[in-house]
Amino acid sequence: MVEALPQEEVYRYGIVYCDEPAAGESADMRGVVEKPTPEQAPSRLSVIGRYVLPYCIMELLRDQPPGAGNEI
């Protein structure tokens, strides 16, 4: 699920790269950019859902460096 944001707030959220869907419709997601600058944001659509991932993903993420905003 996504929600449109004002351009000046995109740096605070994960922003989806996809064609903008009509209200209540779906669109294929091509990627997510975590906390991009407004100039680098592929859209104004923020991720508002949560992810359910298998544990093996957590094992892979454990060895990654912190991401945008120094998040782990």
Side-chain angles (χ1 to χ4, degrees), residues 2 5 8 11 15 18 21 30 33 47-48 54 60 62 65 69-70:
V2 298
L5 296 173
E8 62 272 10
Y11 76 95
I15 302 297
C18 71
R30 295 186 204 105
V33 179
V47 176
I48 61 170
L60 295 171
R62 177 182 54 222
N70 208 31

Side-chain angles (χ1 to χ4, degrees), residues 1-62:
M1 296 183 64
V2 298
E3 179 178 46
L5 296 173
Q7 187 69 24
E8 62 272 10
E9 291 186 24
V10 298
Y11 76 95
R12 299 174 62 198
Y13 300 90
I15 302 297
V16 173
Y17 175 52
C18 71
D19 295 328
E20 190 157 348
E25 296 294 322
S26 63
D28 291 337
M29 186 173 78
R30 295 186 204 105
V32 177
V33 179
E34 188 60 35
K35 296 184 173 75
T37 64
E39 300 79 31
Q40 295 174 325
S43 74
R44 294 183 310 110
L45 300 174
S46 67
V47 176
I48 61 170
R50 297 289 182 249
Y51 303 105
V52 177
L53 304 169
Y55 183 77
C56 64
I57 298 297
M58 298 303 140
E59 292 173 336
L60 295 171
L61 293 175
R62 177 182 54 222

